[in-house]
């Protein structure tokens, strides 16, 4: 028996919960989430939300900063929308109960500063902004009767019209999303969920890399699931590395927010020398791609395992009050950041490419929307401006609501799923795995090869190596997938493998260096040939990507 919902939301961060809360006034909602409801990248966001709030700031300045950081690849139409509509969405969050820090006891917000911003415009709740937003949205979701939450459920694959009718091409005009198969990984049961509109809001894919600031859930699930169904995926070569994660074997790349540098923190080599002035006029507050590359370069030159982030000249009480979580976490690992510099390294942080959407979050597959880190709206271009991501999720999910509700109300859509006999999940002849080592080995190999060959600095030779290896791994994973019963680990493995392949392919075809993509063999930007997006779409439902790579201009 399948479950029926009017709206299905996959993912429970800011993008998913914002959409769920707004559409539940029109129909039933099912939230599918891989872990506990609160376990999303949103929860871990430290810096905050970029939004024009101060009198000396303007939408034009926020647009300009975003576009400059995006190195010529931002889509200006959506940048203007996101910057312009941001403050209204932030106010809605505040009305729901989110508390952002204010100055003293006053009404003015205590706005933070991060790299690439010409003004102070980062709303924050100490250094736990993401948690404040997630907490607020979860409380509001729990107060609704019309939302059912499916925790520990993982999307396996979308059910689309093209999957049911042979003459329909995946991702074509006639295709549409009808539902999905999900694995309840506590009971190992596969369920079929039918819906009239689906929002993909599964977040990012930092786990593709060996070192990442992302939570364990960030395995590129939405990218891989949508891609296999024929959705267009763009600009995957632009993966942002955060310059400052705590270097400690047990810290799991704990993030030390850029706002620490925004308040005056200084990067130093282990011998105490500063170095960022040699790379950019903005020094330690240069855009993230520049800072991450500079650290990478300095570490390779000196052979050191880390550089230092020095905040000892800031007043101790200010560090403890403004960054209580970072301060406490560093202390737990043996570093008192008010008294000594802390060791830091870059780590994979944010996927700027993703599932292509229009300015209302609609993908090329009818009834499938996307919002948040999983999507490609054109806001980030070749490099994301700090703290623009929570903003994107809020704005796009709000805009998607109107279109989604219109589709839902359209009478012809009412029987979309009923008109198709959606088959129940068929496990075939798969048996329990007796070789789980294949999963752990391949998982480890992918993350290591992505870090070594497709990391902060790339070369054509390294990319070719990565391409050959990922192809072999995908073949092995496909065989394993069909022979053994699915588990959360096998689903995540095939998703990171496909996401890795898309990142490699994007990096291979972009023959220039721009923003987050730096190739030693093509070290300069090439505006004549490459001021455009890389877009991939598979033409068959396949585990091994059979791509139809396309380049689209956005001007
Ligand atoms: C940070 O606090 O440094 C991260 C903020 C972001 O990635 O936008």
């Amino acid at each position: 028996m399948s479950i029926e919902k009017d709206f299905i939301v996959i993912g429970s961060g800011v993008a998913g919960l914002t959409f769920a809360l707004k559409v539940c006034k029109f129909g039933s909602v099912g939230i599918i989430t891989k872990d506990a409801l609160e376990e999303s990248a949103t929860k871990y966001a430290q810096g905050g939300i970029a939004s024009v709030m101060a009198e000396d700031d303007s939408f034009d300045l926020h647009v300009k900063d975003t576009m400059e950081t995006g190195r010529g690849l931002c889509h200006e139409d959506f940048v203007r929308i996101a910057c312009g509509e941001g403050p209204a969405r932030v106010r809605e969050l505040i009305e729901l109960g989110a508390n952002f820090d204010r100055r003293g006891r006053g009404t003015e917000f205590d706005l933070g500063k991060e790299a690439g911003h010409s003004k102070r415009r980062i709303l924050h709740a100490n250094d736990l902004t993401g948690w404040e937003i997630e907490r607020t949205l979860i409380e509001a979701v729990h107060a609704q009767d019309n939302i059912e939450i499916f925790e520990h459920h993982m999307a396996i694959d979308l059910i689309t019209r093209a999957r049911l009718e042979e003459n329909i091409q995946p991702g074509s005009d006639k295709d549409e999303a009808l539902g999905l198969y999900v694995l309840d990984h506590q009971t190992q049961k596969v369920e079929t969920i039918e819906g009239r509109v689906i929002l993909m809001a599964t977040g990012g894919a930092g786990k593709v890399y060996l070192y990442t600031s992302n939570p364990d859930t960030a395995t590129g699930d939405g990218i891989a699931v949508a891609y296999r169904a024929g959705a267009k995926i763009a600009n995957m070569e632009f993966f942002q590395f955060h310059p400052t994660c705590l270097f400690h074997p047990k810290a799991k790349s704990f993030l030390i927010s850029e706002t620490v540098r925004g308040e005056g923190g200084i990067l130093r080599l282990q011998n105490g020398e500063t170095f960022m002035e040699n790379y950019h006029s903005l020094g330690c507050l240069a855009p993230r791609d520049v800072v991450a590359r500079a650290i990478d370069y300095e570490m390779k030159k000196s052979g050191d395992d880390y550089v230092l982030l020095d905040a000892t000249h800031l007043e101790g009480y200010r560090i403890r009050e403004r960054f209580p979580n970072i301060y406490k976490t560093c202390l737990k690992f043996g570093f008192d950041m008010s008294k000594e510099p802390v060791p830091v390294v870059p780590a994979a942080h944010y996927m700027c490419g993703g599932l292509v959407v229009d300015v209302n979050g609609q993908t090329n597959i009818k009834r499938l929307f996307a919002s948040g880190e999983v999507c490609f709206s054109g806001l980030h271009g070749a490099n994301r401006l700090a703290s623009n991501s929570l903003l994107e999720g809020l704005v796009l999910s709000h805009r998607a609501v109107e279109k989604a509700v219109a589709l839902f109300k359209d009478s012809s859509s009412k029987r979309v799923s009923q008109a198709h006999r959606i088959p129940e999940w068929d496990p075939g002849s798969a048996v329990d795995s007796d070789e789980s080592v294949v999963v752990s080995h391949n998982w480890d190999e992918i993350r290591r090869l992505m870090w070594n060959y497709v990391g902060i600095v790339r070369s054509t030779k390294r990319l070719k190596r990565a391409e050959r290896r990922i192809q072999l791994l995908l073949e092995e994973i496909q065989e394993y997938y069909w022979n053994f019963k699915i588990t959360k680990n096998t689903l995540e493995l095939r998703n990171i493998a496909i996401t890795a392949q898309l990142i490699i392919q994007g990096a291979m075809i972009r023959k220039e260096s721009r923003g987050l993509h730096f190739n030693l063999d093509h070290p300069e930007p090439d505006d004549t040939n490459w001021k455009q997006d890389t877009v991939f779409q598979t033409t068959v439902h396949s585990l091994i990507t059979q791509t139809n790579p396309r380049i689209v201009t956005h001007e």
Side-chain angles (χ1 to χ4, degrees), residues 157 223 327:
D157 268 315
I223 294 290
Y327 178 75

Side-chain angles (χ1 to χ4, degrees), residues 46-47 114 242 255 257-259 288 349 384 386-389:
Q46 296 180 356
E114 287 184 277
H242 196 290
L255 187 77
S257 176
E258 200 162 76
T259 46
R288 256 179 221 180
H349 182 59
R384 179 181 62 102
S387 290
N388 263 357
S389 40

Side-chain angles (χ1 to χ4, degrees), residues 116-179:
H117 289 275
S118 56
K119 295 285 173 193
R120 285 193 167 261
R121 61 168 78 97
I122 317 295
L123 286 130
H124 61 92
N126 285 327
D127 54 355
L128 288 167
T129 314
W131 173 237
E132 179 60 15
I133 294 171
E134 189 72 10
R135 176 200 68 73
T136 304
L137 291 170
I138 285 177
E139 274 175 28
V141 161
H142 281 318
Q144 309 299 323
D145 298 331
N146 220 5
I147 300 180
E148 189 175 354
I149 299 160
F150 297 85
E151 289 182 313
H152 308 287
H153 280 63
M154 179 168 181
I156 302 172
D157 268 315
L158 282 173
I159 304 163
T160 55
R161 196 184 271 262
R163 282 208 156 108
L164 305 182
E165 293 178 32
E166 262 177 29
N167 56 347
I168 294 183
Q169 183 75 8
S172 65
D173 293 351
K174 296 206 179 88
D175 199 6
E176 55 188 344
L178 307 172

